[in-house]
Amino acid sequence: MSTHIMRAIQIHRYGGPEQLKLEEVPRPAPEAGEVLVRIHAAGVNPIDWQIPQGVMKDVQPVTFPFTPGIEVAGVVEAVGPNVAATLIGQAVLGQIANGGYAEYVSVPVEVLALKPKTLSYSEAAAFPVGATIAWRTLFDIGGLTSGQRVLIQGATSGMGVFAVQLAKWKGAQVIATASTAANLDFVRALGADTVVDFATTPVEAVVQDVDLVLHGGAAPLSSSLAALRRGGTLISNASLGPKEQEQVQARGVRAMTSRGATTVSLETLTRLADEGYLKVPVGKAFPLREVQQAHDYARSGQGNGRFVLRVVEAVGDVIS
């Protein structure tokens, strides 16, 4: 195979997982301010299957052929003009616009950070999106401080696993929900002080007067609201409808969404990983050629933690 050709997942039209094809395409070259990354692993996120399905075509249309993938970890292979050559050979991770389901990608150098030494490539590829959203939700929007009480609904989600760890690092009292014995143990291992099995116990029956609720998963809004103190804050990953807004006002709490910009740098988050405060539980890893199975599995709700595609079988990587 020519050194100027690479393998990448391509979609040529909207549709289901069957539209994801492993094809040979030209390898990109880094332009000014960019680096070429040889990808070792790519994270699997909801947006990666929502875009191919056409779910987001009205707000985020794409040009075909299109390569999904917004989280990557790998090694800098080459640099474009105005980028230091000393970056060549460095292990990096980052959140990118798209194109992560491939052997190589050219991206602006500023979207990358050095890979934490404590993380494998598979773990690093499942790190940027969830960790950044968790920080934004807890601190930029929620204003969580040491000593406060936070309820994290659906703590086994891609964002939830980082929210539990970051809230604990901040010094908050962390209450989390999950179901099944395996998931309850999983969340406890992340550092949650209290874990509630939402399948058997109404959360509001055992949790009240929390300062902040991260509302998501299968939790009913009434359950999250009942656990909040008056004047507390509820943050949802989706906008609330008119009837839900009425419930919020009746409870005397604030309701916000998790969308928006963040104040945290990727370097800050990677430092926390290297210091042992953030671990990345990879629930399952698939070879790049099994991208269809990876999307099916991730969408099914099976397992816990993050899911990744392995592009390179790196030494010391997490193989599931």
Side-chain angles (χ1 to χ4, degrees), residues 27-187:
R27 192 178 78 181
E31 298 181 355
E34 293 185 338
V35 298
L36 178 70
V37 178
R38 185 187 184 200
I39 299 172
H40 284 231
V44 176
N45 290 275
I47 195 173
D48 296 323
W49 64 77
Q50 291 168 351
I51 287 180
Q53 287 182 321
V55 173
M56 303 181 67
K57 62 183 177 182
D58 292 334
V59 294
Q60 194 171 337
V62 301
T63 300
F64 298 116
F66 178 79
T67 298
I70 63 171
E71 272 183 310
V72 296
V75 176
V76 176
E77 184 95 350
V79 300
N82 305 322
V83 179
T86 52
L87 282 176
I88 295 174
Q90 294 286 343
V92 294
L93 56 76
Q95 180 176 348
I96 63 178
N98 59 269
Y101 288 10
E103 291 181 315
Y104 293 88
V105 69
S106 283
V107 295
V109 66
E110 62 266 19
V111 306
L112 302 174
L114 295 178
K115 181 181 78 67
K117 294 180 174 60
T118 55
L119 299 184
S120 69
Y121 283 101
S122 283
E123 291 167 331
F127 180 81
V129 172
T132 300
I133 295 174
W135 182 287
R136 181 177 72 221
T137 304
L138 288 171
F139 307 132
D140 296 331
I141 302 173
L144 185 69
T145 59
S146 178
Q148 288 190 316
R149 303 173 72 229
V150 58
L151 169 62
I152 301 170
Q153 297 271 34
T156 60
S157 69
M159 184 273 284
V161 297
F162 294 106
V164 169
Q165 296 177 84
L166 283 170
K168 192 66 180 175
W169 163 78
K170 193 69 172 179
Q173 181 182 351
V174 182
I175 306 156
T177 68
S179 65
T180 77
N183 283 349
L184 295 172
D185 289 342
F186 171 77
V187 175

Side-chain angles (χ1 to χ4, degrees), residues 243-256:
K243 289 185 177 180
E244 294 172 318
Q245 289 287 359
E246 290 177 7
Q247 295 179 54
V248 167
Q249 292 174 7
R251 288 287 302 178
V253 301
R254 296 188 306 155
M256 310 173 76

